[in-house]
Amino acid sequence: MITFESLGLDKPLLDAISDLGFETPSEVQEKSIPLLLQEDTDLVALAQTGTGKTAAFGFPMIQKIHSESRTTQGLILSPTRELCLQITNELKLYSKYIKGLNTVAIYGGASITEQARQIKRGAQIVVATPGRMKDMIGRGMVDISKIDYCVLDEADEMLNMGFYEDIKDILSNTPQEKFTWLFSATMPKEVASIAKKFMHKPKEITVGTKNAGATTVQHEYYVVGGRDRYPALKRLADANPGIFSVVFCRTKRDTQRVAEKLIEDGYNAGALHGDLSQNQRDLVMNAFRKKQVQMLVATDVAARGIDVDDITHVINYQLPDEIETYTHRSGRTGRAGKSGISMVIVTRSELRKIKAIENKIKQDFISKKIPTGIEICEIQLYHLASRIKETQINPEIDHYLPAINDVLDGIDRDELIKKIVSVEFTRFYNYYSKTRDLNTQESGRERDKKGASKGGVPSEGSVRYFINIGERDGYDWMSLKDFLRDTLNLEKEDIFNVDTKDSFSFFNTDAQLSQFVLQTFTDFKVKGRFINVEVSTNPGGGKKSKKRDRKRGHRKGGDNRSFRGGRKGNSGKRGGKKRPGFF
Ligand code: ADP
Ligand code: MG
């Protein structure tokens, strides 16, 4: 096993790395750290978001810099203020055991004189956004004429954002004999031409598309009619209680509009886009970090700075124009070793874009169905039951118990449970029982057999199961699938459509396996706990129970789109209060 020690890093860095809890180097770190430590060379490194690029250039830069000199020796350019701050914070953590090493962040929207003051105190490493950097060079507030190392981080994004001229200007103020390290998720021709123009025989590193960041993300698409994007988004959120997501829109206007509608409908949502003031953006981001905002609706540019590791879902409300942008979006989830799901809401005419993205990311999409109203009700019902189970009893209730007992006198346990659950369930049921199917038939692009079964396009003879373990028990869709495969001794393809929720999950097998599956999980215990598997009425796999057929009748009559507040007053936390501070 490769260790950080074996890459040639010194003790102060190794101690900091161990404090950070990094155990083994990521692929891009493994490839670039020894190279940059041993050789003075230019470097082009291609690696997806979330693969640990900051440390890949940060560790060698910190080790090579002379902390006893106060001269600015390293410059890191990054596209946004948020990334700039994120890199600065990381570098400070990396260098915490190196006395006298100062890293200073330079970015727009904050006091320039304060930043100049920090530089003046001595900053061996400067992390900057191009605009503010140019400004400060122009005013003689920063001297980069003696730097040894220059990093262009997220180079593709800086060029996307139109920083080419600024970068050129900035580089013209740096010495010829320095080393330039360029990091990028993608290699469009603009990046190639920068490399050609400003770098000398750069070494190249490409982290295979099969890096940890890429394979932990499952890509799914949902085909709907153009006008059903919003109702589809709501259903995806409702079918995933506990969702913590970024919802991408193409324009600032759509971003604002979708966020406002979600808030109006009682979701914990917020908007992040360039028309908001820095202060407003900070507020939203803080609320998101604290998970007070569960659905952050964002433009691509604004979302570049999102440094949150445990995002469960990325939702593409609309597909981006550039395929590369999709890579950036989906890279917001599945970070730091966790798995994630990137969902795309598409219309039939956009399906060819899915194919193009598949080619680019070298990963297949799974075709999925927008859950029906009844499926959502079922998911919410299980979720509610498990929430009741997990709820800490408030001791204050003891005082009121005699009175409450009087009120509830004569109701037996079964009836009481039904009533408690109905308090919330009825709200969803009333809303969803009359809604229609939002899925558009995917003619013209039938998925191959494998894709279809994987993706839960309900194949005739498949059965969907409910299982009482989920994310809270440490499972994600991949590890649950592994667990089921091992327990049932089946092939990977035999188990499909695995959907983990907080405290329970769903999966499918072919119908002929159902007896075997149910038998295996009869009186099945792991570590003293019963693992319970039942056939679900949730028809992801085409099981038709009488109950469902009956309910299906209710659904005719169209989506009641004027309904507002499907979740309003759901619970105090979820109440449909506006958050005026964000807008
Ligand atoms: P990138 O710049 O490639 O998008 P980052 O450098 O921001 O990725 O790293 C993503 C996350 O992974 C950060 O939270 C970082 O602290 C963490 N990380 C980086 N390297 C490692 C490692 N070797 N082991 C564990 N976590 C790591
Ligand atoms: Mg980065």
Side-chain angles (χ1 to χ4, degrees), residues 467-526:
I467 183 166
N468 67 332
I469 50 177
E471 281 152 19
R472 195 173 298 168
D473 309 293
Y475 289 99
D476 57 29
W477 65 270
M478 282 193 297
S479 55
L480 183 62
K481 190 169 173 162
D482 287 344
F483 164 77
L484 290 167
R485 197 177 53 163
D486 291 347
T487 308
L488 297 162
N489 203 6
L490 292 173
E491 292 299 311
K492 210 158 97 191
E493 298 77 36
D494 294 330
I495 295 153
F496 48 92
N497 218 0
V498 180
D499 269 329
T500 50
K501 309 288 175 207
D502 199 25
S503 54
F504 54 90
S505 309
F506 296 101
F507 65 96
N508 280 42
T509 70
D510 281 341
Q512 66 254 36
L513 287 171
S514 74
Q515 197 111 44
F516 167 69
V517 171
L518 293 172
Q519 231 156 42
T520 310
F521 282 102
T522 305
D523 288 332
F524 187 88
K525 266 189 191 179
V526 172

Side-chain angles (χ1 to χ4, degrees), residues 150-165:
C150 176
V151 172
L152 304 174
D153 191 29
E154 310 269 2
D156 50 351
E157 200 54 30
M158 285 201 284
L159 296 174
N160 270 346
M161 292 170 70
F163 284 135
Y164 179 80
E165 289 299 323

Side-chain angles (χ1 to χ4, degrees), residues 1 38 122 243 269 315 338 367 456 496 501 565 583:
M1 196 182 65
Q38 284 157 28
I243 191 170
I315 304 182
K338 300 194 176 86
S367 162
F496 48 92
K501 309 288 175 207
F583 301 111

